Amino acid sequence: MAKVKNVFICQNCGANSAKWIGKCPSCNEWNTYVEEVVEKADPSKTSWRDNSSPTVKSKPINVKEIEKGAERRLVTIDKELNRVLGGGIVAGSLVLIGGEPGIGKSTLMLQVALSASKTKVLYVSGEESQQQIKMRAERIGVKSDNCFILSETNTQNIFAQVKEMTPQVLVIDSIQTLSTNRIESAAGSVSQVRECTTELMKFAKETNTPVFLVGHITKDGSIAGPKVLEHMVDTVLQFEGDRHLTYRILRTVKNRFGSTSELGIYEMLESGLRQVSNPSEILISQRAEDLPGVAIGATIEGNRPLMIEIQSLVSAATYGTPQRSSTGFDSKRLNMLLAVLEKRGGLRFSSQDVFLNIAGGIRIEEPALDLAVCASLISSYHDIPVSEKVAFAAEVGLGGEIRAVNRIENRISEAEKLGFEEIYISKYNTKGLELSGRKITIKPFGKLKEVFEDLMG
Protein backbone atom coordinates (compact mmCIF):
# COMPACT_ATOMS: atom_id res chain seq x y z
CA MET A 1 0.00 0.00 0.00
CA ALA A 2 1.31 3.47 -0.85
CA LYS A 3 2.49 5.67 1.98
CA VAL A 4 0.13 8.55 2.82
CA LYS A 5 0.99 11.70 4.75
CA ASN A 6 -0.46 15.15 5.31
CA VAL A 7 1.59 18.25 4.42
CA PHE A 8 0.87 21.95 4.14
CA ILE A 9 1.57 23.39 0.67
CA CYS A 10 1.70 27.04 -0.41
CA GLN A 11 -0.91 27.59 -3.11
CA ASN A 12 1.15 30.43 -4.58
CA CYS A 13 4.67 29.01 -5.01
CA GLY A 14 4.35 25.30 -4.14
CA ALA A 15 6.60 25.33 -1.06
CA ASN A 16 5.66 22.75 1.58
CA SER A 17 5.89 22.52 5.35
CA ALA A 18 5.16 19.90 7.99
CA LYS A 19 2.92 22.36 9.87
CA TRP A 20 0.78 25.37 9.05
CA ILE A 21 2.56 28.73 8.99
CA GLY A 22 1.02 32.13 8.36
CA LYS A 23 3.65 33.61 6.06
CA CYS A 24 5.35 31.58 3.34
CA PRO A 25 9.15 31.89 3.68
CA SER A 26 9.62 31.33 -0.09
CA CYS A 27 7.25 33.87 -1.65
CA ASN A 28 6.41 35.99 1.46
CA GLU A 29 2.66 35.62 0.87
CA TRP A 30 0.28 35.39 3.83
CA ASN A 31 -2.32 32.66 4.50
CA THR A 32 -1.49 30.61 1.42
CA TYR A 33 -0.67 27.29 3.17
CA VAL A 34 -3.36 24.62 2.74
CA GLU A 35 -3.29 21.09 4.10
CA GLU A 36 -3.15 18.40 1.44
CA VAL A 37 -2.97 14.63 1.47
CA VAL A 38 0.11 13.48 -0.43
CA GLU A 39 0.53 9.87 -1.48
CA LYS A 40 3.72 8.42 -2.92
CA ALA A 41 3.32 7.23 -6.48
CA ASP A 42 1.98 3.68 -6.54
CA PRO A 43 3.36 1.58 -9.42
CA SER A 44 0.02 -0.19 -9.65
CA LYS A 45 -1.62 3.08 -10.66
CA THR A 46 -0.41 3.63 -14.17
CA SER A 47 0.28 6.94 -15.81
CA TRP A 48 -0.19 7.64 -19.52
CA ARG A 49 2.30 4.92 -20.50
CA ASP A 50 1.81 1.23 -19.79
CA ASN A 51 4.24 -0.02 -17.12
CA SER A 52 4.98 -3.12 -19.16
CA SER A 53 6.66 -1.08 -21.89
CA PRO A 54 10.42 -0.78 -21.47
CA THR A 55 11.85 2.60 -20.55
CA VAL A 56 14.24 4.23 -22.98
CA LYS A 57 17.76 4.66 -21.59
CA SER A 58 19.35 7.86 -22.81
CA LYS A 59 23.10 8.15 -23.30
CA PRO A 60 25.29 11.26 -23.08
CA ILE A 61 26.45 12.64 -26.44
CA ASN A 62 29.26 15.07 -27.08
CA VAL A 63 27.87 18.48 -28.03
CA LYS A 64 29.90 18.40 -31.28
CA GLU A 65 28.23 15.13 -32.32
CA ILE A 66 24.66 16.37 -31.88
CA GLU A 67 23.04 16.96 -35.23
CA LYS A 68 21.50 20.38 -35.62
CA GLY A 69 18.00 20.46 -36.99
CA ALA A 70 15.09 22.88 -37.07
CA GLU A 71 12.02 22.18 -34.95
CA ARG A 72 9.12 20.57 -36.74
CA ARG A 73 6.25 23.05 -36.64
CA LEU A 74 2.56 22.79 -37.41
CA VAL A 75 1.52 26.05 -39.08
CA THR A 76 -2.11 26.92 -38.42
CA ILE A 77 -4.32 29.33 -40.33
CA ASP A 78 -4.31 31.58 -37.25
CA LYS A 79 -1.42 33.92 -38.12
CA GLU A 80 -1.59 35.67 -34.74
CA LEU A 81 -1.11 32.39 -32.87
CA ASN A 82 1.72 31.39 -35.22
CA ARG A 83 3.44 34.70 -34.47
CA VAL A 84 3.35 34.43 -30.68
CA LEU A 85 4.50 30.78 -30.83
CA GLY A 86 7.50 31.75 -32.96
CA GLY A 87 6.26 30.48 -36.33
CA GLY A 88 3.82 27.66 -35.53
CA ILE A 89 3.12 24.86 -33.08
CA VAL A 90 6.31 22.95 -32.26
CA ALA A 91 5.99 19.16 -32.15
CA GLY A 92 6.17 17.85 -28.59
CA SER A 93 5.77 21.29 -27.02
CA LEU A 94 3.73 22.02 -23.89
CA VAL A 95 1.91 25.37 -24.14
CA LEU A 96 0.13 27.04 -21.21
CA ILE A 97 -2.51 29.70 -21.93
CA GLY A 98 -3.70 31.85 -19.01
CA GLY A 99 -6.32 34.55 -18.75
CA GLU A 100 -9.24 35.92 -16.76
CA PRO A 101 -12.58 34.09 -16.74
CA GLY A 102 -14.68 34.94 -19.79
CA ILE A 103 -11.81 36.52 -21.72
CA GLY A 104 -12.04 33.93 -24.53
CA LYS A 105 -9.44 31.22 -23.80
CA SER A 106 -11.81 28.33 -24.54
CA THR A 107 -13.13 30.09 -27.64
CA LEU A 108 -9.60 30.60 -28.94
CA MET A 109 -8.61 26.95 -28.38
CA LEU A 110 -11.82 25.58 -29.89
CA GLN A 111 -11.41 27.87 -32.88
CA VAL A 112 -7.84 26.62 -33.41
CA ALA A 113 -9.01 23.00 -33.05
CA LEU A 114 -11.82 23.45 -35.59
CA SER A 115 -9.68 25.38 -38.09
CA ALA A 116 -7.02 22.63 -38.24
CA SER A 117 -9.06 20.59 -40.68
CA LYS A 118 -6.13 18.38 -41.79
CA THR A 119 -4.92 17.70 -38.24
CA LYS A 120 -6.57 15.30 -35.79
CA VAL A 121 -7.27 17.28 -32.60
CA LEU A 122 -8.60 15.98 -29.29
CA TYR A 123 -10.25 18.74 -27.24
CA VAL A 124 -10.63 17.65 -23.60
CA SER A 125 -12.92 19.77 -21.45
CA GLY A 126 -13.29 19.35 -17.71
CA GLU A 127 -15.57 22.36 -17.33
CA GLU A 128 -18.20 22.00 -20.05
CA SER A 129 -20.28 19.19 -21.47
CA GLN A 130 -20.03 18.07 -25.06
CA GLN A 131 -23.38 19.75 -25.79
CA GLN A 132 -22.12 23.11 -24.52
CA ILE A 133 -19.01 22.87 -26.67
CA LYS A 134 -21.19 21.94 -29.66
CA MET A 135 -23.19 25.15 -29.16
CA ARG A 136 -20.02 27.23 -29.16
CA ALA A 137 -18.74 25.42 -32.26
CA GLU A 138 -21.97 26.24 -34.11
CA ARG A 139 -21.63 29.88 -33.10
CA ILE A 140 -18.06 29.97 -34.44
CA GLY A 141 -19.33 28.46 -37.68
CA VAL A 142 -16.21 26.47 -38.59
CA LYS A 143 -16.79 22.81 -39.49
CA SER A 144 -14.15 20.12 -39.16
CA ASP A 145 -14.12 16.32 -39.50
CA ASN A 146 -10.94 15.93 -37.41
CA CYS A 147 -11.94 17.68 -34.16
CA PHE A 148 -13.00 15.32 -31.35
CA ILE A 149 -14.53 16.45 -28.05
CA LEU A 150 -14.06 14.61 -24.75
CA SER A 151 -15.59 15.64 -21.39
CA GLU A 152 -13.31 14.06 -18.81
CA THR A 153 -11.27 15.07 -15.75
CA ASN A 154 -9.36 11.88 -14.92
CA THR A 155 -5.97 11.70 -16.61
CA GLN A 156 -5.96 7.89 -16.76
CA ASN A 157 -9.22 7.92 -18.74
CA ILE A 158 -7.90 10.69 -20.97
CA PHE A 159 -4.72 8.78 -21.79
CA ALA A 160 -6.78 5.66 -22.53
CA GLN A 161 -8.68 7.62 -25.21
CA VAL A 162 -5.44 9.18 -26.46
CA LYS A 163 -3.90 5.74 -27.03
CA GLU A 164 -6.98 4.64 -28.93
CA MET A 165 -7.28 7.60 -31.34
CA THR A 166 -3.65 8.94 -31.36
CA PRO A 167 -4.39 12.67 -31.89
CA GLN A 168 -1.85 15.00 -33.46
CA VAL A 169 -2.73 17.86 -31.08
CA LEU A 170 -4.15 17.63 -27.54
CA VAL A 171 -6.02 20.51 -25.85
CA ILE A 172 -6.78 20.43 -22.10
CA ASP A 173 -9.39 22.90 -20.80
CA SER A 174 -8.45 23.42 -18.03
CA ILE A 175 -5.48 22.01 -16.12
CA GLN A 176 -7.07 22.95 -12.75
CA THR A 177 -9.97 20.54 -13.35
CA LEU A 178 -7.83 17.43 -13.95
CA SER A 179 -6.98 14.82 -11.35
CA THR A 180 -4.86 11.67 -11.36
CA ASN A 181 -5.19 8.43 -9.42
CA ARG A 182 -1.56 8.74 -8.37
CA ILE A 183 -2.41 11.59 -5.95
CA GLU A 184 -5.17 11.50 -3.31
CA SER A 185 -5.66 15.29 -2.96
CA ALA A 186 -8.56 17.20 -4.52
CA ALA A 187 -8.57 18.44 -8.11
CA GLY A 188 -7.08 21.93 -8.46
CA SER A 189 -4.67 21.52 -5.55
CA VAL A 190 -0.97 22.15 -5.98
CA SER A 191 -0.15 18.43 -5.86
CA GLN A 192 -2.75 17.51 -8.50
CA VAL A 193 -1.84 20.36 -10.85
CA ARG A 194 1.86 19.51 -10.62
CA GLU A 195 1.37 15.76 -11.10
CA CYS A 196 -1.12 16.11 -13.99
CA THR A 197 1.20 18.56 -15.75
CA THR A 198 4.12 16.17 -15.28
CA GLU A 199 2.17 13.32 -16.89
CA LEU A 200 1.14 15.53 -19.81
CA MET A 201 4.71 16.76 -20.23
CA LYS A 202 6.03 13.19 -20.40
CA PHE A 203 3.34 12.31 -22.93
CA ALA A 204 4.18 15.35 -25.10
CA LYS A 205 7.93 14.74 -25.09
CA GLU A 206 7.83 10.97 -25.65
CA THR A 207 5.20 11.02 -28.41
CA ASN A 208 6.12 14.37 -30.04
CA THR A 209 2.50 15.50 -29.64
CA PRO A 210 1.92 19.21 -28.91
CA VAL A 211 -0.27 19.81 -25.84
CA PHE A 212 -2.17 23.01 -25.00
CA LEU A 213 -3.11 23.65 -21.37
CA VAL A 214 -5.71 26.28 -20.47
CA GLY A 215 -5.04 27.73 -17.01
CA HIS A 216 -7.00 29.97 -14.67
CA ILE A 217 -5.42 33.07 -13.14
CA THR A 218 -5.61 34.40 -9.59
CA LYS A 219 -6.96 37.79 -8.52
CA ASP A 220 -3.50 39.36 -8.82
CA GLY A 221 -3.24 38.28 -12.48
CA SER A 222 -0.81 35.34 -12.15
CA ILE A 223 -1.59 31.83 -13.36
CA ALA A 224 -3.22 29.75 -10.62
CA GLY A 225 -1.28 26.87 -9.15
CA PRO A 226 2.39 26.60 -8.20
CA LYS A 227 4.93 28.77 -9.94
CA VAL A 228 6.76 25.59 -10.88
CA LEU A 229 3.98 24.99 -13.42
CA GLU A 230 5.28 27.85 -15.57
CA HIS A 231 8.81 26.45 -15.35
CA MET A 232 7.70 23.01 -16.53
CA VAL A 233 5.99 24.11 -19.75
CA ASP A 234 7.77 25.26 -22.92
CA THR A 235 5.60 28.28 -23.67
CA VAL A 236 3.42 30.54 -21.53
CA LEU A 237 0.86 32.73 -23.30
CA GLN A 238 -1.22 35.39 -21.53
CA PHE A 239 -4.65 36.25 -22.96
CA GLU A 240 -5.37 39.84 -21.93
CA GLY A 241 -8.05 42.44 -22.50
CA ASP A 242 -10.99 44.18 -20.94
CA ARG A 243 -14.21 42.17 -21.14
CA HIS A 244 -16.07 45.44 -21.78
CA LEU A 245 -13.97 46.06 -24.91
CA THR A 246 -13.92 43.99 -28.08
CA TYR A 247 -10.15 43.61 -28.50
CA ARG A 248 -8.03 40.84 -26.98
CA ILE A 249 -4.24 40.58 -26.79
CA LEU A 250 -2.35 37.28 -26.79
CA ARG A 251 1.07 38.00 -25.26
CA THR A 252 4.10 35.69 -25.03
CA VAL A 253 5.45 35.50 -21.48
CA LYS A 254 7.84 32.58 -21.99
CA ASN A 255 8.88 30.76 -25.14
CA ARG A 256 11.69 28.23 -25.53
CA PHE A 257 11.24 28.22 -29.31
CA GLY A 258 10.99 31.92 -30.12
CA SER A 259 10.82 35.51 -28.95
CA THR A 260 9.14 36.49 -25.66
CA SER A 261 8.14 39.95 -26.86
CA GLU A 262 5.58 38.97 -29.50
CA LEU A 263 1.87 39.67 -29.27
CA GLY A 264 -1.22 38.83 -31.29
CA ILE A 265 -4.37 40.93 -31.43
CA TYR A 266 -7.93 39.65 -31.86
CA GLU A 267 -11.36 41.19 -32.03
CA MET A 268 -14.13 39.41 -30.12
CA LEU A 269 -17.24 39.02 -32.27
CA GLU A 270 -20.42 36.97 -31.92
CA SER A 271 -18.94 34.46 -34.36
CA GLY A 272 -15.67 34.10 -32.40
CA LEU A 273 -12.28 35.77 -32.49
CA ARG A 274 -11.21 37.68 -35.60
CA GLN A 275 -7.52 38.19 -36.33
CA VAL A 276 -6.44 41.83 -36.54
CA SER A 277 -3.83 42.04 -39.29
CA ASN A 278 -3.08 45.77 -38.87
CA PRO A 279 -3.28 46.60 -35.13
CA SER A 280 -2.07 50.19 -35.61
CA GLU A 281 -5.45 51.08 -37.10
CA ILE A 282 -7.38 49.94 -34.02
CA LEU A 283 -4.90 51.41 -31.55
CA ILE A 284 -5.35 54.85 -33.07
CA SER A 285 -8.83 56.23 -32.44
CA GLN A 286 -10.75 57.94 -35.19
CA ARG A 287 -10.88 61.67 -34.39
CA ALA A 288 -12.96 64.21 -36.26
CA GLU A 289 -10.58 67.01 -35.17
CA ASP A 290 -7.28 67.53 -33.39
CA LEU A 291 -7.71 67.30 -29.63
CA PRO A 292 -5.27 68.49 -26.95
CA GLY A 293 -3.56 65.81 -24.89
CA VAL A 294 -3.31 63.26 -27.72
CA ALA A 295 -0.03 62.12 -29.30
CA ILE A 296 1.01 59.11 -31.40
CA GLY A 297 4.07 57.03 -30.49
CA ALA A 298 5.86 54.36 -32.54
CA THR A 299 6.72 51.21 -30.61
CA ILE A 300 7.97 47.70 -31.39
CA GLU A 301 6.45 44.50 -29.99
CA GLY A 302 8.59 41.56 -31.06
CA ASN A 303 8.95 41.92 -34.84
CA ARG A 304 5.82 44.04 -35.19
CA PRO A 305 5.89 47.86 -35.27
CA LEU A 306 2.82 49.50 -33.73
CA MET A 307 1.52 53.05 -33.68
CA ILE A 308 0.10 53.75 -30.22
CA GLU A 309 -2.18 56.61 -29.23
CA ILE A 310 -1.28 58.32 -25.94
CA GLN A 311 -4.08 60.23 -24.23
CA SER A 312 -3.48 62.50 -21.25
CA LEU A 313 -5.45 64.96 -19.15
CA VAL A 314 -3.76 67.60 -17.01
CA SER A 315 -5.97 69.68 -14.72
CA ALA A 316 -5.54 71.76 -11.57
CA ALA A 317 -5.53 69.71 -8.35
CA THR A 318 -8.56 70.70 -6.25
CA TYR A 319 -8.25 68.13 -3.45
CA GLY A 320 -4.82 68.91 -2.05
CA THR A 321 -2.47 66.11 -3.08
CA PRO A 322 -2.27 65.85 -6.91
CA GLN A 323 -3.39 62.57 -8.44
CA ARG A 324 -1.21 60.46 -10.71
CA SER A 325 -3.10 57.77 -12.65
CA SER A 326 -1.95 55.77 -15.68
CA THR A 327 -3.62 52.99 -17.64
CA GLY A 328 -1.41 50.80 -19.84
CA PHE A 329 1.78 52.72 -18.94
CA ASP A 330 4.23 52.32 -16.05
CA SER A 331 3.23 54.78 -13.31
CA LYS A 332 6.82 55.07 -12.01
CA ARG A 333 8.07 56.05 -15.46
CA LEU A 334 5.24 58.59 -15.73
CA ASN A 335 6.40 60.20 -12.46
CA MET A 336 9.96 60.30 -13.81
CA LEU A 337 8.87 62.04 -17.01
CA LEU A 338 6.81 64.56 -15.03
CA ALA A 339 9.89 65.34 -12.92
CA VAL A 340 11.98 65.85 -16.09
CA LEU A 341 9.37 68.19 -17.57
CA GLU A 342 9.19 70.18 -14.35
CA LYS A 343 12.96 70.40 -13.87
CA ARG A 344 14.09 70.88 -17.50
CA GLY A 345 10.96 72.49 -18.96
CA GLY A 346 9.86 74.71 -16.08
CA LEU A 347 6.31 73.34 -16.01
CA ARG A 348 4.43 73.17 -12.68
CA PHE A 349 3.05 69.63 -12.72
CA SER A 350 3.38 69.45 -8.92
CA SER A 351 0.06 71.29 -8.59
CA GLN A 352 -1.72 69.39 -11.38
CA ASP A 353 -3.71 66.16 -11.56
CA VAL A 354 -2.31 63.94 -14.32
CA PHE A 355 -4.22 61.11 -15.99
CA LEU A 356 -2.60 59.04 -18.74
CA ASN A 357 -4.18 56.35 -20.92
CA ILE A 358 -2.98 54.17 -23.79
CA ALA A 359 -5.84 53.68 -26.24
CA GLY A 360 -7.01 50.20 -27.21
CA GLY A 361 -6.54 48.54 -23.82
CA ILE A 362 -2.93 47.57 -24.58
CA ARG A 363 -0.06 47.78 -22.08
CA ILE A 364 3.33 49.02 -23.29
CA GLU A 365 6.54 49.28 -21.26
CA GLU A 366 8.99 50.28 -23.99
CA PRO A 367 10.86 53.56 -23.29
CA ALA A 368 10.51 54.59 -26.96
CA LEU A 369 7.10 56.05 -26.04
CA ASP A 370 8.68 58.62 -23.69
CA LEU A 371 8.69 61.44 -26.22
CA ALA A 372 5.06 60.76 -27.21
CA VAL A 373 4.03 60.80 -23.53
CA CYS A 374 5.84 64.10 -22.97
CA ALA A 375 4.21 65.60 -26.08
CA SER A 376 0.79 64.45 -24.87
CA LEU A 377 1.35 65.96 -21.40
CA ILE A 378 2.61 69.29 -22.79
CA SER A 379 -0.33 69.42 -25.22
CA SER A 380 -2.86 68.94 -22.42
CA TYR A 381 -1.02 71.33 -20.09
CA HIS A 382 -1.08 74.20 -22.62
CA ASP A 383 -4.39 73.05 -24.18
CA ILE A 384 -2.75 73.07 -27.63
CA PRO A 385 -3.46 70.05 -29.89
CA VAL A 386 -0.71 68.07 -31.60
CA SER A 387 -1.38 67.36 -35.27
CA GLU A 388 -2.72 63.87 -35.93
CA LYS A 389 -0.19 63.60 -38.76
CA VAL A 390 2.77 63.75 -36.33
CA ALA A 391 4.40 60.74 -34.64
CA PHE A 392 7.15 60.34 -32.03
CA ALA A 393 9.81 57.66 -31.48
CA ALA A 394 12.47 58.46 -28.87
CA GLU A 395 13.48 57.89 -25.26
CA VAL A 396 13.80 60.79 -22.82
CA GLY A 397 16.70 60.91 -20.38
CA LEU A 398 16.85 62.50 -16.93
CA GLY A 399 18.79 65.45 -18.33
CA GLY A 400 16.04 66.21 -20.84
CA GLU A 401 18.07 64.71 -23.70
CA ILE A 402 16.44 62.78 -26.55
CA ARG A 403 17.98 59.30 -26.64
CA ALA A 404 18.15 56.88 -29.55
CA VAL A 405 15.96 53.76 -29.82
CA ASN A 406 16.51 50.53 -31.74
CA ARG A 407 15.01 49.58 -35.10
CA ILE A 408 14.15 53.16 -35.99
CA GLU A 409 13.73 52.34 -39.70
CA ASN A 410 10.86 49.95 -38.95
CA ARG A 411 9.12 52.60 -36.87
CA ILE A 412 9.52 55.23 -39.58
CA SER A 413 8.26 52.85 -42.28
CA GLU A 414 5.15 51.99 -40.21
CA ALA A 415 4.39 55.68 -39.67
CA GLU A 416 4.91 56.39 -43.37
CA LYS A 417 2.63 53.49 -44.36
CA LEU A 418 -0.18 54.82 -42.15
CA GLY A 419 -0.03 58.29 -43.68
CA PHE A 420 1.88 60.28 -41.07
CA GLU A 421 3.64 63.37 -42.43
CA GLU A 422 6.24 64.01 -39.69
CA ILE A 423 8.07 61.92 -37.10
CA TYR A 424 10.28 63.24 -34.29
CA ILE A 425 13.31 61.08 -33.45
CA SER A 426 16.68 61.43 -31.70
CA LYS A 427 19.53 62.98 -33.67
CA TYR A 428 21.66 60.04 -32.50
CA ASN A 429 19.42 57.73 -34.59
CA THR A 430 20.33 59.43 -37.87
CA LYS A 431 23.65 57.64 -38.37
CA GLY A 432 23.28 55.48 -41.48
CA LEU A 433 19.65 56.56 -41.88
CA GLU A 434 18.45 57.83 -45.26
CA LEU A 435 16.54 61.06 -44.50
CA SER A 436 15.66 62.06 -48.07
CA GLY A 437 13.43 60.34 -50.60
CA ARG A 438 10.66 59.54 -48.11
CA LYS A 439 7.06 60.65 -48.03
CA ILE A 440 7.41 61.38 -44.31
CA THR A 441 9.52 64.24 -42.90
CA ILE A 442 12.06 63.05 -40.32
CA LYS A 443 12.88 65.61 -37.61
CA PRO A 444 15.92 64.72 -35.46
CA PHE A 445 16.52 66.58 -32.18
CA GLY A 446 18.85 66.23 -29.21
CA LYS A 447 17.00 68.11 -26.44
CA LEU A 448 13.42 67.93 -25.20
CA LYS A 449 13.17 71.73 -25.20
CA GLU A 450 14.08 71.88 -28.90
CA VAL A 451 11.30 69.42 -29.76
CA PHE A 452 8.57 71.48 -28.13
CA GLU A 453 9.87 74.77 -29.54
CA ASP A 454 9.54 73.25 -33.02
CA LEU A 455 6.26 71.49 -32.26
CA MET A 456 4.40 74.33 -30.53
CA GLY A 457 6.00 77.12 -32.50
Side-chain angles (χ1 to χ4, degrees):
M1 182 176 178
K3 187 177 180 180
V4 178
K5 65 176 182 177
N6 290 3
V7 296
F8 291 87
I9 299 180
C10 175
Q11 301 296 300
N12 184 58
C13 67
N16 58 73
S17 172
K19 62 179 182 179
W20 185 88
I21 51 180
K23 183 180 180 180
C24 176
S26 298
C27 63
N28 295 324
E29 293 290 331
W30 285 89
N31 299 324
T32 56
Y33 272 81
V34 176
E35 185 178 13
E36 294 186 9
V37 178
V38 178
E39 181 186 14
K40 275 193 172 182
D42 190 348
S44 62
K45 298 179 178 180
T46 60
S47 62
W48 77 269
R49 184 182 49 189
D50 187 4
N51 288 324
S52 60
S53 60
T55 57
V56 180
K57 294 183 179 180
S58 57
K59 297 180 180 179
I61 304 175
N62 190 297
V63 66
K64 297 180 180 180
E65 299 176 2
I66 300 176
E67 295 183 2
K68 182 181 177 181
E71 305 95 355
R72 292 193 293 113
R73 293 181 182 266
L74 174 63
V75 180
T76 69
I77 64 172
D78 191 332
K79 295 181 180 179
E80 300 298 304
L81 181 64
N82 292 336
R83 177 181 289 108
V84 297
L85 290 177
I89 305 172
V90 178
S93 62
L94 191 61
V95 182
L96 176 63
I97 299 180
E100 295 181 356
I103 202 70
K105 304 184 298 296
S106 300
T107 301
L108 174 65
M109 284 292 91
L110 182 59
Q111 196 164 299
V112 171
L114 291 172
S115 61
S117 57
K118 297 181 180 179
T119 305
K120 186 186 291 186
V121 181
L122 177 59
Y123 186 98
V124 180
S125 176
E127 301 177 342
E128 297 177 300
S129 65
Q130 294 172 324
Q131 289 74 23
Q132 288 176 300
I133 300 174
K134 172 67 175 178
M135 291 171 59
R136 183 187 289 118
E138 289 181 347
R139 189 177 75 247
I140 294 174
V142 181
K143 296 182 180 180
S144 174
D145 296 331
N146 282 326
C147 181
F148 299 86
I149 309 299
L150 174 65
S151 293
E152 182 60 64
T153 58
N154 185 272
T155 57
Q156 277 67 37
N157 297 338
I158 293 172
F159 288 131
Q161 297 298 325
V162 166
K163 289 179 182 178
E164 184 176 340
M165 66 170 294
T166 60
Q168 295 171 276
V169 177
L170 177 63
V171 179
I172 304 294
D173 185 13
S174 65
I175 185 61
Q176 279 82 13
T177 62
L178 296 192
S179 62
T180 175
N181 294 337
R182 296 163 62 88
I183 298 293
E184 294 295 333
S185 56
S189 63
V190 171
S191 302
Q192 284 286 5
V193 170
R194 181 190 294 132
E195 185 64 26
C196 292
T197 306
T198 301
E199 292 184 3
L200 289 167
M201 181 181 65
K202 290 180 180 178
F203 162 74
K205 301 304 179 185
E206 295 184 15
T207 63
N208 251 7
T209 304
V211 178
F212 284 88
L213 306 179
V214 175
H216 299 162
I217 67 170
T218 58
K219 59 183 179 181
D220 61 349
S222 60
I223 296 176
K227 198 68 177 175
V228 69
L229 181 64
E230 298 183 30
H231 293 289
M232 294 167 63
V233 300
D234 298 310
T235 305
V236 179
L237 305 179
Q238 195 78 16
F239 209 35
E240 305 171 354
D242 191 340
R243 283 182 293 174
H244 304 291
L245 301 176
T246 59
Y247 296 106
R248 303 286 188 268
I249 298 170
L250 186 63
R251 189 184 301 273
T252 309
V253 179
K254 169 189 175 183
N255 191 1
R256 289 173 177 164
F257 309 108
S259 172
T260 57
S261 56
E262 294 287 355
L263 61 81
I265 300 181
Y266 297 87
E267 183 182 7
M268 178 63 80
L269 305 174
E270 292 184 1
S271 58
L273 293 163
R274 182 185 70 86
Q275 304 172 46
V276 178
S277 57
N278 189 4
S280 295
E281 294 181 355
I282 68 159
L283 297 175
I284 301 177
S285 63
Q286 304 298 321
R287 293 173 284 161
E289 57 183 7
D290 291 341
L291 299 174
V294 178
I296 308 298
T299 184
I300 296 284
E301 284 291 328
N303 295 321
R304 167 183 280 182
L306 301 175
M307 305 304 293
I308 305 293
E309 179 176 302
I310 310 293
Q311 303 172 344
S312 65
L313 177 62
V314 179
S315 62
T318 57
Y319 299 103
T321 305
Q323 301 181 64
R324 300 286 186 265
S325 177
S326 63
T327 303
F329 190 78
D330 187 11
S331 58
K332 293 182 179 179
R333 192 158 192 89
L334 172 62
N335 291 331
M336 185 204 76
L337 295 175
L338 290 174
V340 171
L341 290 173
E342 186 157 347
K343 180 73 173 179
R344 308 300 176 188
L347 303 176
R348 296 294 303 274
F349 282 104
S350 58
S351 60
Q352 305 286 325
D353 289 336
V354 178
F355 303 94
L356 187 75
N357 176 54
I358 293 185
I362 191 173
R363 180 171 183 83
I364 300 294
E365 297 180 354
E366 195 195 18
L369 289 182
D370 287 354
L371 188 56
V373 171
C374 291
S376 174
L377 293 170
I378 293 286
S379 172
S380 180
Y381 184 89
H382 290 296
D383 203 26
I384 299 176
V386 176
S387 173
E388 61 179 4
K389 297 297 183 181
V390 175
F392 303 87
E395 181 183 352
V396 176
L398 293 179
E401 72 276 14
I402 307 300
R403 303 176 64 87
V405 295
N406 62 348
R407 300 173 62 184
I408 189 64
E409 292 187 0
N410 292 11
R411 303 173 197 264
I412 295 174
S413 299
E414 180 72 8
E416 186 177 11
K417 184 176 67 174
L418 293 176
F420 287 88
E421 297 175 357
E422 297 178 352
I423 182 168
Y424 287 79
I425 65 172
S426 170
K427 67 178 183 180
Y428 304 106
N429 262 134
T430 57
K431 184 178 180 181
L433 183 65
E434 183 63 39
L435 301 179
S436 60
R438 294 178 180 267
K439 296 180 181 179
I440 186 172
T441 302
I442 301 174
K443 293 191 172 183
F445 289 95
K447 290 288 185 180
L448 191 60
K449 188 177 181 180
E450 299 172 356
V451 173
F452 296 122
E453 286 177 354
D454 183 82
L455 189 64
M456 303 294 180

